Amino acid sequence: MTLRALIADDEPLARALVREFLAAHPQVQVLAEADNGLEAARSIQDLAPDLVFLDIQMPKLTGLEVLQLTGLRRGVIFTTAYDQHALAAFDLHAVDYLLKPFSQQRFDAAMLRAGQLLRTGAPEVERLVAAQTLARVLIRDGTELRVLLLDEVDYIEAQADHVAFHHAGRDHLKAQRISELEAQLDPRRFVRVHRSFIVNLRQVHALERTESSGHAVRLKSGKRIPVSRSGHERLLAVL
Amino acid sequence: MHPLLTHLRGLVAYLSAWVLAGGLLALAWQPEAPAAWTWRLGFLLPLAVFTGMAALALYPVCRSFPFRPARWPGLLARRAVAVGVLALVSGAAAALWNSTGLRWGRDGLVTLPPPAWLALLGVLVVVFAVSALVHDALLAQQALQAAAANEVQARLMAREMELKALRKQLDPHFLFNSLNSISALIPLDPAAARAMTVDLAGFLRQTLSLGERERIRLDEELDLVQHYLAIEQRRLGDKLQVAVEADAACRRAWLPPLVLQPLVENAIKHGIRPLERGGRVDLSARRAGERLVLPVSNPVDAQAPRDATGLGQGLRHLRTRLQTQYDEPAVVDVERTADRHTVRVSLPWHP
């Protein structure tokens, strides 16, 4: 069986090293290389590789963000030189990773382990990714993939089985359920004020009363968002 | 316990002084009903030694209640009580000792009228008061010495912290990535792998040795930066270009070590790396009046959010470091235009 692989690392030499070590694994065919996180996310979505060598510290998106944003969980082999924060998270969730510089033997062991997990799935990667709060989202702008900083988003609205991110007067649709998204957000920054709405607290101007003695949130942009009773409680708890 | 009691020679000298004082007093003393000088000596010598020992008892009092101007009435009262008690005890001891003369059929060793006893008591009060003063003075001097030693210790610790902070500037991420690059280069280009090893060693050696010194010449710092850039250029390839501009006078100027290196590191990490095509880091040194000005600038992604984390911390760190090094202000400021980021360090000019 051929395994189709992607190598994501911002350093050409680091990618060359992975290619060299892959020579001992003829079943692996390198589909593409990516030199930043956004490029890696694009390749994952377009090519659906079986195996991804993923560096943690990359420009544009970190390796963990690439997983968060693409939903990729299987066949990931993390590589990193030194990143205390990421290493602590890996160890906490018992996720395997290659510490640069690594040997062919260590590389082979990681390949063996990844090969086994391809069949069984990797729940530890699932847990690792779930534990990270989301700071950016990947959106499709026409045919282009773009990164949207969540800090700059005004509010998020549920639309059927999509969510719409409202940013600078525009809507960006993404196929995701709002409750699933809510769980990934920083609860001190984003509050689900209504069944269909999550607001960014940084963009909130005021909390207002409606004529029907309910509540609404007035955003800095002037937009008014309805607030449900339980949403009001959640809002008060954070404020 | 009194320090004299553990210091035999000091104690002997101290008591000898008292014996001498007692002896001289016995010879000089002309009481109303004079006893022979041998009797006077018999009375005064033990009394002098006893008084000398009793005077040492003021040491724990002075030590436990060190003199503070703010609380002087209470502290003075304690000393007065101690002096009074000691004088009475010594006076009583003198009377007791004198009465041993009864054994030889005399009134006492010496015959003293009541006014003379009062005068003796007065002398004892003066002796103990002087003892309290001397103890206070000695303790104050000890406290001063301890404070000075503390200050020296504090300065040493500050220097130690500074060195630790400098060592921290050896970014482990950079080190391990460089080793990884060398590992990758070995089969591809052994000569380049060797050159990179040499550059990395040079960079490490210089960082460690320059960090130990308080001032270095700009030339030495630029040398270190060149090693650093050589490594980064090998890793980033065409993405990284560098322009360095410094005239001979600036190159000879003195500055604290590792001022430029972290700025160049930041410029690459936050400026060049995130840019797809990379760009040029400009590094220069010029003299402006009595100051040495060092601008480091790099291109930035105009679209990228301005959330360059780590940069703020690095700059704050540099600012604090420079503040502890100079009495005059050292300035670190940041300027960002649409597509360029510049950090400017301005230091007092030391040719």
Side-chain angles (χ1 to χ4, degrees):
Chain A
M1 187 186 76
T2 314
L3 288 177
R4 299 150 67 248
L6 167 73
I7 305 173
D9 197 306
D10 61 329
E11 285 187 41
L13 283 173
R15 298 198 297 271
L17 185 71
V18 172
R19 269 187 187 273
E20 187 204 329
F21 284 169
L22 275 176
H25 302 265
Q27 80 280 17
V28 177
Q29 173 208 348
V30 177
L31 283 183
E33 294 187 1
D35 66 0
N36 65 64
L38 186 57
E39 197 53 50
R42 277 194 196 114
S43 299
I44 288 168
Q45 296 209 325
D46 296 347
L47 307 172
D50 305 308
L51 207 53
V52 178
F53 295 92
L54 193 60
D55 186 31
I56 299 302
Q57 283 205 339
M58 281 188 294
K60 301 201 169 148
L61 292 174
T62 69
L64 287 177
E65 283 176 321
V66 168
L67 295 189
Q68 237 175 7
L69 302 180
T70 57
L72 179 76
R73 299 292 185 270
R74 285 180 183 214
V76 183
I77 296 179
F78 294 101
T79 64
T80 183
Y82 183 90
D83 181 336
Q84 274 174 313
H85 178 72
L87 294 187
F90 286 157
D91 290 335
L92 181 65
H93 298 282
V95 172
D96 191 35
Y97 54 88
L98 287 173
L99 261 185
K100 296 174 187 173
F102 44 83
S103 64
Q104 176 86 56
Q105 286 87 336
R106 180 66 190 82
F107 181 84
D108 295 346
M111 285 291 289
L112 188 68
R113 188 171 156 157
Q116 286 160 353
L117 291 178
L118 270 182
R119 286 185 288 278
T120 58
E124 69 269 26
V125 176
E126 187 72 59
R127 284 193 294 272
L128 169 74
V129 177
Q132 316 292 320
T133 52
L134 204 60
R136 318 180 225 215
V137 284
L138 214 51
I139 49 167
R140 210 167 268 285
D141 199 359
T143 57
E144 264 293 275
L145 268 186
R146 259 191 56 198
V147 175
L148 194 62
L149 257 190
L150 275 172
D151 254 355
E152 296 175 350
V153 167
D154 292 342
Y155 66 98
I156 302 157
E157 184 179 3
Q159 292 180 353
D161 27 341
H162 282 68
V163 282
F165 296 90
H166 293 259
H167 163 59
R170 287 184 59 191
D171 286 7
H172 302 281
L173 282 181
K174 192 172 192 294
Q176 193 174 22
R177 301 172 66 86
I178 194 166
S179 49
E180 199 180 288
L181 177 68
E182 185 193 1
Q184 297 179 315
L185 297 175
D186 181 354
R188 288 161 305 176
R189 285 261 180 84
F190 292 90
V191 179
R192 178 100 175 255
V193 294
H194 186 274
R195 202 162 46 86
S196 310
F197 292 97
I198 296 174
V199 294
N200 181 355
L201 290 183
R202 287 198 164 181
Q203 305 295 341
V204 169
H205 175 65
L207 183 61
E208 296 176 346
R209 280 200 161 271
T210 59
E211 293 95 37
S212 50
S213 78
H215 289 93
V217 160
R218 173 78 68 187
L219 297 183
K220 285 176 185 158
S221 63
K223 171 88 182 168
R224 225 171 154 199
I225 309 279
V227 175
S228 67
R229 187 171 308 199
S230 58
H232 186 236
E233 278 166 21
R234 278 195 290 272
L235 205 51
L236 291 185
V238 178
L239 297 175
Chain B
M1 203 161 76
H2 199 287
L4 259 186
L5 295 182
T6 56
H7 188 262
L8 188 64
R9 277 166 64 185
L11 186 63
V12 168
Y14 173 74
L15 288 180
S16 304
W18 278 102
V19 167
L20 194 64
L24 287 175
L25 195 60
L27 290 178
W29 193 15
Q30 303 288 331
E32 303 281 302
W37 68 272
T38 43
W39 289 106
R40 299 203 298 261
L41 208 59
F43 171 62
L44 279 174
L45 276 190
L47 181 61
V49 172
F50 184 90
T51 308
M53 291 306 283
L56 297 184
L58 282 159
Y59 172 76
V61 177
C62 292
R63 211 176 82 141
S64 307
F65 307 101
F67 204 80
R68 305 245 184 290
R71 290 164 45 210
W72 70 268
L75 294 169
L76 198 63
R78 278 175 217 273
R79 282 163 175 68
V81 167
V83 165
V85 166
L86 283 173
L88 285 174
V89 167
S90 295
L96 205 66
W97 175 241
N98 195 37
S99 68
T100 55
L102 295 173
R103 258 196 245 168
W104 287 280
R106 302 166 58 92
D107 287 345
L109 293 173
V110 290
T111 314
L112 289 179
W117 279 109
L118 267 182
L120 178 67
L121 213 55
V123 169
L124 286 172
V125 166
V126 171
V127 164
F128 290 127
V130 167
S131 166
L133 275 177
V134 169
H135 277 119
D136 271 332
L138 287 176
L139 284 167
Q141 204 211 335
Q142 266 180 16
L144 268 180
Q145 277 173 353
N150 268 345
E151 197 185 332
V152 169
Q153 188 68 26
R155 266 192 214 179
L156 280 177
M157 277 196 21
R159 179 88 187 116
E160 189 102 334
M161 299 253 296
E162 163 101 353
L163 280 179
K164 262 191 197 158
L166 283 173
R167 293 221 180 87
K168 250 196 199 153
Q169 287 189 338
L170 279 178
D171 176 16
H173 196 259
F174 168 75
L175 292 182
F176 291 126
N177 265 322
S178 300
L179 289 173
N180 195 54
S181 305
I182 292 171
S183 164
L185 269 175
I186 289 169
L188 299 175
D189 186 348
R194 180 167 296 166
M196 198 165 171
T197 311
V198 172
D199 275 325
L200 184 60
F203 170 73
L204 286 178
R205 212 185 305 282
Q206 275 179 311
T207 304
L208 293 173
S209 71
L210 294 188
E212 306 274 326
R213 290 164 51 191
E214 257 182 59
R215 293 280 186 279
I216 60 169
R217 292 200 187 270
L218 179 63
D219 217 15
E220 298 174 278
E221 176 86 10
L222 286 176
D223 214 27
L224 170 83
V225 169
Q226 290 294 359
H227 277 303
Y228 178 77
L229 287 169
I231 298 165
E232 289 286 37
Q233 258 168 335
R234 247 179 248 285
R235 288 170 54 199
L236 295 171
D238 312 335
K239 271 182 83 169
L240 173 62
Q241 293 114 48
V242 184
V244 181
E245 207 187 301
D247 64 28
C250 285
R251 282 177 184 269
R252 278 195 304 275
W254 295 94
L255 77 172
L258 305 183
V259 169
L260 280 180
Q261 195 275 332
L263 296 184
V264 172
E265 194 174 320
N266 268 340
I268 293 174
K269 203 158 149 188
H270 302 290
I272 306 297
R273 271 180 176 268
L275 283 174
E276 231 149 301
R277 292 167 179 278
R280 196 182 69 205
V281 174
D282 286 318
L283 185 62
S284 60
R286 62 186 161 77
R287 181 181 177 177
E290 282 309 297
R291 298 191 80 82
L292 174 65
V293 183
L294 305 162
V296 176
S297 85
N298 58 268
V300 283
D301 186 353
Q303 268 102 54
R306 303 186 176 196
D307 68 352
T309 47
L311 181 107
Q313 200 197 340
L315 279 190
R316 264 204 307 283
H317 180 74
L318 179 64
R319 205 170 272 170
T320 337
R321 257 189 69 210
L322 293 178
Q323 264 163 10
T324 59
Q325 298 250 342
Y326 290 102
D327 296 332
E328 319 154 61
V331 184
V332 182
D333 66 52
V334 180
E335 182 190 307
R336 166 136 183 195
T337 60
D339 57 358
R340 248 186 132 69
H341 186 273
T342 307
V343 179
R344 200 173 285 106
V345 176
S346 156
L347 304 168
W349 173 263
H350 289 304

